[in-house]
Amino acid sequence: MLFLNAQEIRQAVSPEEMMAAVEEAYRLFTAGQCVMADRVAVSHGGLSMLYMPCFAGAYVSTKILASCPENPARGLPALDGVVLLNRADTGQLAAILDGAAVTALRTGAVGGVAARHLARADAHTAGLVGCGVQGLHQLAFVCAEREIHAIYLRQTPGRDLTEFIRQLRAMISPRQPEIVLCPSADDVLKNSDIVITATPSRQPLFSDDPALFRGKCILAIGSWQPDMREIPDAVFSAGAEVFIELPYACQESGDLSQPLASGVLTRDRVRLFGDFLADKAAGTPPPLGETRYFKSVGMGVFDTLAAQAILQAARKKGLGQRANE
């Protein structure tokens, strides 16, 4: 059995290896070759415990995450936890991985894959609302997929983004795009070809104006509960094509469940991203409209494939602490 901490996980795999794992996860999910339960979330006070089990390939993973949105104000990470990786044939525990690091990398890779297939080839600007760990990795993976010349960051009052920018520049080096701080989310949206949201907001972050969204590629990463919402109804009025990972997202995220309940969005406008990738791989990609909206809530199969890729790479590089050997 191998123990892998956050530093070892980051040393083990490249962004390209993570995105390859995510694309394989989509393929397995679309082909019905994984067994995955809906995410279980148990909340009390300001803490939510998330449980995500999945069988895929030679392994089964169980991710256990603690989510506490108030933690950043305490100087603590909003997410913490572990990923357990067991052999699917014997149940033997193969690895224990830092859950926050796996989540950051695989979710960043999910955004990178979405940008790879949905963002325009000439997209050269990216914006972020939600300058935390998830937002940092989203930008890093987007910059790996598109030649980004300028990055626009929403700076909340009183928030010093110096350390965030330092980490971002280190992750995307040697690329050196201009980084611009914006006083409002609308300013980020206006200036960016690719717009990332990574917040626990319960109210839309942007003005409800369709003109702001036309021609954009929206990667919405936050909002994983029915009472959370980042994107206003205007994105649907702008004719956005909506892509999701799995049908359960329509129940889990307020960004989908609320507009579906009000009738602003209808189910026939919502497409599974895995189906889109399968059509593209078969040489029959459906045409994309001007505005693309990718809403992610995550899937356990992402964690399973990401953890497998990390384990294999760590073994080759001799990383991690071994036990029971």
Side-chain angles (χ1 to χ4, degrees):
M1 181 177 66
L2 201 62
F3 294 91
L4 289 163
N5 63 30
Q7 182 179 358
E8 292 161 341
I9 288 169
R10 295 180 188 282
Q11 290 175 340
V13 289
S14 67
E16 182 54 45
E17 288 171 323
M18 277 289 92
M19 285 189 280
V22 165
E23 294 225 17
E24 176 64 6
Y26 275 120
R27 188 191 69 78
L28 292 180
F29 177 73
T30 302
Q33 296 176 357
C34 63
V35 178
M36 181 175 60
D38 291 340
R39 173 170 32 216
V40 175
V42 182
S43 300
H44 179 70
L47 179 66
S48 295
M49 295 300 300
L50 313 177
Y51 303 89
M52 301 173 66
C54 179
F55 288 80
Y59 292 93
V60 53
S61 73
T62 306
K63 185 165 76 172
I64 304 172
L65 278 186
S67 173
C68 189
E70 297 176 2
N71 271 359
R74 301 168 176 149
L76 298 171
L79 291 176
D80 203 357
V82 296
V83 175
L84 308 178
L85 197 61
N86 297 73
R87 287 184 50 164
D89 54 352
T90 66
Q92 288 179 296
L93 187 59
I96 299 176
L97 302 89
D98 182 282
V102 173
T103 300
L105 287 173
R106 70 85 152 147
T107 308
V110 168
V113 169
R116 173 184 290 173
H117 294 282
L118 297 180
R120 299 194 315 269
D122 63 350
H124 296 309
T125 57
L128 171 66
V129 181
C131 295
V133 172
Q134 290 296 338
L136 177 68
H137 287 79
Q138 292 297 314
L139 278 176
F141 278 86
V142 165
C143 286
E145 282 302 311
R146 290 291 184 271
E147 186 179 343
I148 300 300
H149 299 159
I151 293 173
Y152 296 87
L153 304 177
R154 163 72 166 110
Q155 184 175 35
T156 55
R159 172 81 188 277
D160 184 359
L161 293 181
T162 302
E163 177 59 17
F164 180 91
I165 293 171
R166 185 197 69 77
Q167 292 182 42
L168 176 61
R169 289 206 179 277
M171 291 176 71
I172 65 176
S173 179
R175 304 175 189 86
Q176 291 295 322
E178 179 185 11
I179 296 179
V180 181
L181 302 184
C182 298
S184 74
D186 282 353
D187 288 325
V188 172
L189 181 59
K190 290 173 186 176
N191 287 288
S192 305
D193 299 320
I194 303 170
V195 182
I196 304 159
T197 59
T199 77
S201 179
R202 284 173 166 75
Q203 298 292 332
L205 301 167
F206 308 101
S207 297
D208 197 26
D209 180 359
L212 292 174
F213 289 90
R214 290 194 179 98
K216 308 292 184 179
C217 177
I218 309 295
L219 308 179
I221 306 302
S223 175
W224 51 270
Q225 291 182 337
D227 63 343
M228 292 179 174
R229 189 147 185 209
E230 297 184 300
I231 310 299
D233 288 343
V235 73
F236 309 114
S237 301
E241 293 189 72
V242 184
F243 294 90
I244 62 175
E245 297 147 335
L246 73 174
Y248 182 59
C250 290
Q251 304 171 44
E252 187 175 33
S253 170
D255 270 317
L256 299 170
S257 64
Q258 292 179 31
L260 283 168
S262 69
V264 172
L265 174 65
T266 54
R267 288 296 291 263
D268 61 295
R269 292 182 59 187
V270 181
R271 301 164 63 182
L272 291 178
F273 190 57
D275 291 344
F276 174 80
L277 294 182
D279 289 341
K280 192 171 182 179
T284 56
L288 286 170
E290 179 187 22
T291 306
R292 299 95 185 253
Y293 173 29
F294 176 77
K295 174 62 203 139
S296 175
V297 296
M299 297 193 292
V301 68
F302 291 148
D303 299 301
T304 312
L305 271 292
Q308 289 184 49
I310 292 165
L311 177 59
Q312 292 167 4
R315 283 173 171 168
K316 289 180 181 178
K317 295 180 178 180
L319 296 170
Q321 301 178 45
R322 300 184 181 277
N324 299 334
E325 294 186 3

